[in-house]
Amino acid sequence: MIITTSGIYCKSNKCIHKKVWKSEHENMYKIIDIENDKEVILTGIASLIFNCVLSKSEFSISDIADYIDIISTYKKKDLSSEIATVLRKLLLDNIIEEYNSSLEKVQIFSQYTYTLKFKDKYYGLHFQYGTIIEISKKIFDSLRNKNIKYINDNESDLLYQNNFLNRHPSEASLLNDDNRINEVMIYLILSYECNMKCIYCFEKNKIVSKQESINLKLLKNTLDEIIIIADKSNVILTMYGGEPFVDNNLASMRLIFERLNEYSNIHFRMITNGFNILRYIKLIKRFHHKIHEFVITIDGPESVHNNRRYDQDGNGTFKTIITNISVLIELKIKVVIRVNLDDSNYSVQNDFVHCLNELMFPENLIRIEYHRVEKKFDFDFQHISLSNCLKLITTLRKATNYHIDFEHPSFSFIESCERNTWANLRKRDYCNINNSITIDCDGKKYACNESMGINEYLLQANNFESISMLRVASEHCINCALYLLCLGRCSLSNYAHSKNGASICDKKELLQMLESYIEIIDWEIEYIGTTDKQNISS
């Protein structure tokens, strides 16, 4: 807390913070002003002052100046004026507020924290903020038992700085603001026709609409409904299939582009195998400003890809797809190269990334996105472990400048640690199922883009705005400290297992992944304990 002639100040209850540890005597804070959805970065003297703001101890202006003088390289004759200026700025930015003693007495343990012992060391992990700290055995026991009796004030301050303790009981509610989600993802299935045969296609054995493709009358009505949604939300309309870019869909695609072109908050996303793009190139050139991105699957180097993803006659597709991506890049259209990962192509991904490096696509237009192949209704299928995926992604990121992602909620936590960004502050579900709609080519609407033909996933036929809450995780899952790493798992996978009379939990796999990650970054992790070098009262 800070004591000045005008009052006593502590951290505002209208903001949340994340500490980024840089060195023994230097850190920075990222602050989000919840009310204005604004991020502020505190470094240098401002971050040191914020340390004092977060402390249970009382700091006067002269105390802050002495603290800064002792632990930092800021050697100025008169720090008081600069400290006063920073405090005024923190007040204006809603980062500090007048101290309320009734709130400050409350100390609670943050819900989404986890303690882990690994190789004779003790760690605290915060999944909501993306934080890992090494802790003493005493703090480990205190966090695990949710008992602050044996934590001294200095340790309490450091835990508060890293969000393992909250002094404002309402702070957690600030992270659950569903009103901030203002984008709807709509998947539109134009047809189930496809010009390729892929060895793992999840659609080939599905019970789907008897209608092979959407007719133009139904499509016009569907577009009218999409416009109604766009009146209240931003819309990403994803063309889906089947394969949206088969020859027979050209008239439908033209109607979609022309009908929705005038709506600035509707953009298009194309999930495609990338094989027949040139057939649509005139349309793409005409409306390229409306296209958010293309998602095109390439599963590895040419020989591997061609053995997994070939055309109807069994011919390879790699070279054609690469040529078509080059055409999109010339139009400045962003391309996500999706890789479906399993045992048969895991070992060749280094070669694939080197192949992409040689093509020299612009780094700002290409992103590589890895997904595990998952056969949700095949209970004997063994997918790649998250630990092995983590090790692969870590290796690949060192081999290229292209942005590489792995699609799993647990990697949001990894990303937050790696890039000092926010983790799952507002994410509600495994795959955005609660703010997405899939429209089948017969007009039926589903809550999941792999659930077509499953009645339990049908949305109300004429209520386009009711985003399904079907995929609400069980109370047991929500109350688990690891919840933000799996978000209750995939809804469709859970459904499949329930139909088989079983339930499933990924806790063991998630813990193995966390241990792998700690092993990778151990030397970067801040230590908090009785000998901690950042003890601000020393």
Side-chain angles (χ1 to χ4, degrees):
M1 291 183 290
I2 306 293
I3 297 177
T4 71
T5 55
S6 59
I8 303 175
Y9 297 93
C10 61
K11 195 192 84 167
S12 171
N13 199 24
K14 298 174 182 176
C15 74
I16 54 177
H17 71 274
K18 176 175 179 175
K19 181 181 179 183
V20 180
W21 191 68
K22 298 174 73 176
S23 67
E24 288 185 3
H25 299 308
E26 185 179 7
N27 54 260
M28 63 180 279
Y29 287 97
K30 292 189 174 185
I31 315 287
I32 288 185
D33 175 354
I34 296 293
E35 286 191 345
N36 299 306
D37 203 20
K38 182 178 70 173
E39 183 174 272
V40 178
I41 307 294
L42 302 182
T43 59
I45 289 180
S47 70
L48 297 176
I49 293 171
F50 195 64
N51 278 346
C52 300
V53 169
L54 296 176
S55 176
K56 284 177 65 179
S57 303
E58 296 177 352
F59 285 79
S60 66
I61 298 293
S62 61
D63 291 333
I64 298 173
D66 290 342
Y67 163 57
I68 293 173
D69 188 61
I70 290 170
I71 75 162
S72 76
T73 58
Y74 298 101
K75 303 297 181 183
K76 293 187 177 181
K77 291 182 179 179
D78 183 16
L79 282 169
S80 300
S81 176
E82 187 164 351
I83 292 169
T85 300
V86 171
L87 288 174
R88 283 194 294 272
K89 182 72 164 58
L90 295 178
L91 192 60
L92 286 171
D93 287 339
N94 289 324
I95 294 172
I96 63 174
E97 65 184 5
E98 285 198 50
Y99 168 65
N100 184 328
S101 59
S102 63
L103 283 178
E104 193 62 26
K105 290 177 181 177
V106 179
Q107 290 209 73
I108 59 173
F109 288 88
S110 187
Q111 179 182 357
Y112 295 116
T113 60
Y114 194 80
T115 51
L116 180 68
K117 181 182 179 182
F118 180 58
K119 292 187 175 181
D120 296 322
K121 291 184 178 182
Y122 302 93
Y123 298 92
L125 302 94
H126 199 311
F127 301 127
Q128 198 153 38
Y129 289 90
T131 304
I132 300 179
I133 53 175
E134 184 186 346
I135 52 180
S136 66
K137 175 68 162 57
K138 183 182 76 170
I139 295 178
F140 175 83
D141 291 336
S142 297
L143 288 175
R144 175 157 286 196
N145 297 322
K146 297 191 181 302
N147 184 351
I148 64 173
K149 181 178 179 181
Y150 300 107
I151 297 178
N152 63 41
D153 286 351
N154 297 320
E155 293 165 340
S156 173
D157 288 345
L158 290 164
L159 290 172
Y160 184 40
Q161 288 173 15
N162 287 281
N163 294 295
F164 286 82
L165 285 178
N166 290 329
R167 297 198 185 116
H168 292 299
S170 62
E171 183 169 359
S173 67
L174 295 175
L175 307 177
N176 297 317
D177 188 357
D178 286 321
N179 295 326
R180 303 216 175 248
I181 297 174
N182 191 36
E183 184 174 272
V184 177
M185 178 76 77
I186 300 176
Y187 293 85
L188 179 58
I189 298 175
L190 299 178
S191 75
Y192 285 98
E193 183 183 354
C194 190
N195 50 12
M196 283 175 56
K197 291 182 177 181
C198 302
I199 61 173
Y200 47 72
C201 179
F202 76 90
E203 287 183 348
K204 58 186 175 185
N205 296 319
K206 285 183 65 65
I207 300 173
V208 294
S209 166
K210 293 180 181 179
Q211 189 167 315
E212 185 66 25
S213 60
I214 195 166
N215 64 62
L216 292 182
K217 181 179 179 181
L218 176 59
L219 179 57
K220 289 176 182 177
N221 292 335
T222 299
L223 296 180
D224 289 340
E225 292 181 296
I226 291 172
I227 290 169
I228 292 173
I229 288 184
D231 187 48
K232 296 183 178 180
S233 303
N234 295 321
V235 171
I236 298 293
L237 179 59
T238 298
M239 311 302 175
Y240 196 52
E243 166 53 39
F245 287 90
V246 294
D247 290 348
N248 290 335
N249 288 344
L250 185 57
S252 295
M253 195 77 82
R254 183 181 293 110
L255 174 61
I256 293 167
F257 277 114
E258 291 176 345
R259 179 72 179 89
L260 301 181
N261 182 47
E262 66 183 274
Y263 297 92
S264 61
N265 64 331
I266 301 177
H267 288 87
F268 306 117
R269 180 171 172 260
M270 314 296 184
I271 297 181
T272 170
N273 57 39
F275 189 63
N276 197 39
I277 287 174
L278 294 186
R279 177 75 173 85
Y280 284 72
I281 197 61
K282 289 183 179 179
L283 198 63
I284 293 170
K285 285 182 177 179
R286 181 181 167 194
F287 295 102
H288 73 276
H289 61 284
K290 295 285 291 182
I291 298 174
H292 175 63
E293 64 185 14
F294 270 74
V295 180
I296 298 175
T297 302
I298 307 178
D299 275 354
E302 183 172 1
S303 59
V304 173
H305 173 90
N306 286 342
N307 282 329
R308 293 161 61 87
R309 300 179 63 82
Y310 36 83
D311 68 15
Q312 294 289 336
D313 297 320
N315 300 313
T317 59
F318 183 89
K319 288 181 179 176
T320 300
I321 294 169
I322 291 296
T323 298
N324 292 344
I325 289 176
S326 299
V327 173
L328 295 175
I329 293 298
E330 288 177 7
L331 295 172
K332 309 297 183 188
I333 295 174
K334 292 181 179 180
V335 177
V336 177
I337 296 176
R338 173 176 171 142
V339 182
N340 296 318
L341 198 63
D342 59 22
D343 285 330
S344 67
N345 69 339
Y346 178 89
S347 62
V348 299
Q349 293 309 312
N350 258 310
D351 294 336
F352 178 52
V353 166
H354 286 302
C355 170
L356 292 177
N357 287 343
E358 291 175 0
L359 292 170
M360 298 178 65
F361 290 134
E363 294 166 12
N364 64 321
L365 295 178
I366 291 287
R367 179 164 60 88
I368 308 171
E369 188 175 277
Y370 282 86
H371 294 247
R372 295 192 295 187
V373 174
E374 296 182 346
K375 299 182 178 180
K376 297 177 174 65
F377 289 84
D378 181 352
F379 305 118
D380 295 323
F381 180 76
Q382 294 294 316
H383 52 61
I384 299 287
S385 73
L386 289 174
S387 289
N388 283 337
C389 291
L390 172 65
K391 293 170 185 175
L392 176 65
I393 298 303
T394 301
T395 300
L396 296 181
R397 284 176 173 169
K398 296 175 182 177
T400 185
N401 289 326
Y402 292 125
H403 185 95
I404 296 180
D405 285 327
F406 180 78
E407 281 300 300
H408 189 275
S410 62
F411 274 68
S412 177
F413 169 69
I414 301 297
E415 293 298 301
S416 181
C417 294
E418 296 266 323
R419 297 174 184 168
N420 293 319
T421 55
W422 302 93
N424 286 309
L425 287 182
R426 297 181 180 125
K427 191 169 174 60
R428 292 291 168 274
D429 43 55
Y430 182 87
C431 62
N432 296 321
I433 193 173
N434 290 320
N435 64 307
S436 70
I437 301 170
T438 298
I439 306 173
D440 206 346
C441 55
D442 61 359
K444 291 181 179 178
K445 303 172 183 72
Y446 294 88
C448 165
N449 66 353
E450 294 183 25
S451 68
M452 295 78 72
I454 302 176
N455 289 334
E456 288 87 339
Y457 281 79
L458 270 172
L459 297 176
Q460 297 178 41
N462 296 315
N463 190 354
F464 215 66
E465 295 176 322
S466 66
I467 308 304
S468 171
M469 291 304 293
L470 173 68
R471 226 288 299 141
V472 175
S474 69
E475 186 176 348
H476 174 75
C477 288
I478 292 173
N479 291 330
C480 173
L482 298 179
Y483 174 66
L484 290 184
L485 292 187
C486 74
L487 293 169
R489 302 184 75 255
C490 165
S491 168
L492 194 60
S493 177
N494 290 342
Y495 168 83
H497 280 85
S498 70
K499 287 295 182 181
N500 199 40
S503 61
I504 190 167
C505 176
D506 293 336
K507 182 174 181 178
K508 182 178 178 181
E509 183 181 20
L510 291 168
L511 290 177
Q512 289 173 344
M513 184 208 70
L514 291 174
E515 290 175 352
S516 296
Y517 184 58
I518 287 172
E519 210 162 24
I520 292 170
I521 66 160
D522 185 56
W523 64 277
E524 303 176 25
I525 299 175
E526 178 186 7
Y527 176 78
I528 290 180
T530 53
T531 60
D532 183 71
K533 298 175 181 179
Q534 288 190 308
N535 185 327
I536 68 172
S537 293
S538 61

